[in-house]
Amino acid sequence: MALPQTSYKDGRRRWRKTTTVAAAGGPNFISISWPHDSNSPASHSLHAKGFSIAIAHSTLNPPNPSNHPNNFIFLPLSDNLSAIDASSSFTSFIQTLNANCEPSFRQHLTRLIAQRGDYGSIVIIYDFLMFFAGAVAVDLNLSSIIFRSSSATYFTAFLARMQLIQKGQFLEQEFVMQDMVPGLHPLRYKDLPFSKSPIEDWHQLLAIFSQQRNPSAVIWNTLEFLEHEALSQIHKHYQVPVFAVGPLHKITPSPPTSFLEEDTSCIAWLDKQAPKSVVYVSLGSLVTLDAKVLVEMAWGLAKSKQPFLWAVRPGSVSDSEWSEFLPDDFREETSGRGLIVKWAPKRKFWRMPRLVGFGVIVVGIRRWRVFQKGFR
């Protein structure tokens, strides 16, 4: 990992690899993660290199200190949220979370800077959705790094969608979904992130995206040789160094962050499968989808002829308590080949040699639609 050394004329930091630890008296890195996710693998990797770490966290689904090294510092942020309001939009939740967390985060940083008297050696690492951290870092002249756990290719597709919205164009109204997206071969318009959210939600998301401050660098949980083209596009977008540091789950073990009870019985099932044969699918921790969409995905899994482990969170399917939306003939066709659970301990099995791929649907936007036609 890198620390800022000198500056460009425009104020951006110059980075070079170093393992030098800053003077004692406070954390070198302050990590801010999304409440239902975690950038703790990056934090643990930096800690293993000798850096001191602080985790600034919302009070919604806070981290368990016992799952981290005993010299980690924890900085609670007052989010005034006890749970996610299912009746509000996801974009409204993001805005509320960021607005509520910013004041206490600014107070923590101001105190730490006063204590150590050397603001230049503090680096902020924050999740893309916790953009308040980037704004505070710029205001206090601190270096900041965006951490992204999604695929780089997804982000380029997201950028394309945001650019269309800027022009007042919407996929569902104005495009032939099978047409190719210019500059994003082999993606088609149907592959871009979309949802049934109202157009106003997309405008709010664009406003959120537009107000984000440019970081000093970006780290991506991916591999350069897998997503070289996408990473190059991301570098052009941010105009700062972009580091591919994945797969972090292979490099540094990290603690569980799930707020749902995990069904560990699937581990025994996975152990019985052939190496590199199982596809893992999750609906994520927030999204709610129509049963029609999930049935379409189910038949894609059936046609793939691959063994699969599918985590269907209770309440994630409209008008269904759990998996009763699945047709009987799908269950018959995939009997013995697929396993459906309510929530899976993914951090335990990501290292297992049984998995061949995965698909995740999160935060109300579909990231991967490969199941429509099965695997090729």
Side-chain angles (χ1 to χ4, degrees), residues 84-106:
I84 294 177
D85 182 2
S87 64
S88 66
S89 69
F90 180 71
T91 50
S92 296
F93 172 73
I94 294 175
Q95 290 174 314
T96 301
L97 179 66
N98 277 268
N100 291 355
C101 286
E102 181 174 345
S104 51
F105 181 61
R106 188 181 296 272

Side-chain angles (χ1 to χ4, degrees), residues 124-292:
I124 310 300
I125 302 179
Y126 64 99
D127 186 279
F128 172 71
L129 293 174
M130 306 295 275
F131 52 85
F132 72 89
V136 173
V138 170
D139 290 346
L140 297 179
N141 197 29
L142 298 176
S143 298
S144 64
I145 302 174
I146 288 180
F147 173 81
R148 294 300 304 258
S149 58
S150 65
S151 72
T153 302
Y154 167 76
F155 185 71
T156 58
F158 176 80
L159 282 178
R161 180 69 199 257
M162 291 297 101
Q163 289 166 359
L164 292 177
I165 295 172
Q166 275 185 314
K167 298 176 182 177
Q169 297 175 306
F170 294 89
L171 295 181
E172 297 82 353
Q173 298 175 350
E174 303 181 38
F175 292 91
V176 177
M177 302 299 276
Q178 293 294 331
D179 286 354
M180 306 294 293
V181 181
L184 283 183
H185 179 82
L187 297 184
R188 302 175 186 274
Y189 284 108
K190 70 180 181 65
D191 300 316
L192 296 183
F194 76 96
S195 73
K196 292 186 176 180
S197 300
I199 290 177
E200 180 57 33
D201 283 1
W202 281 106
H203 283 301
Q204 290 180 10
L205 190 61
L206 177 61
I208 291 172
F209 184 71
S210 300
Q211 71 186 23
Q212 294 189 5
R213 311 289 283 272
N214 263 12
S216 308
V218 181
I219 56 176
W220 228 280
N221 187 15
T222 188
L223 300 173
E224 176 73 29
F225 79 88
L226 282 179
E227 299 193 278
H228 174 74
E229 185 175 342
L231 289 169
S232 296
Q233 292 183 42
I234 290 167
H235 174 70
K236 291 178 182 177
H237 171 75
Y238 281 113
Q239 292 295 302
V240 298
V242 177
F243 300 103
V245 297
L248 285 173
H249 71 281
K250 289 283 189 179
I251 300 171
T252 306
S254 59
T257 59
S258 175
F259 67 108
L260 298 171
E261 183 178 355
E262 297 175 336
D263 185 347
T264 57
S265 65
C266 62
I267 299 296
W269 180 85
L270 279 170
D271 283 335
K272 299 176 183 178
Q273 309 306 313
K276 297 183 178 180
S277 66
V278 179
V279 175
Y280 167 63
V281 186
S282 172
L283 301 181
S285 56
L286 295 174
V287 68
T288 299
L289 295 177
D290 291 338
K292 181 180 178 180

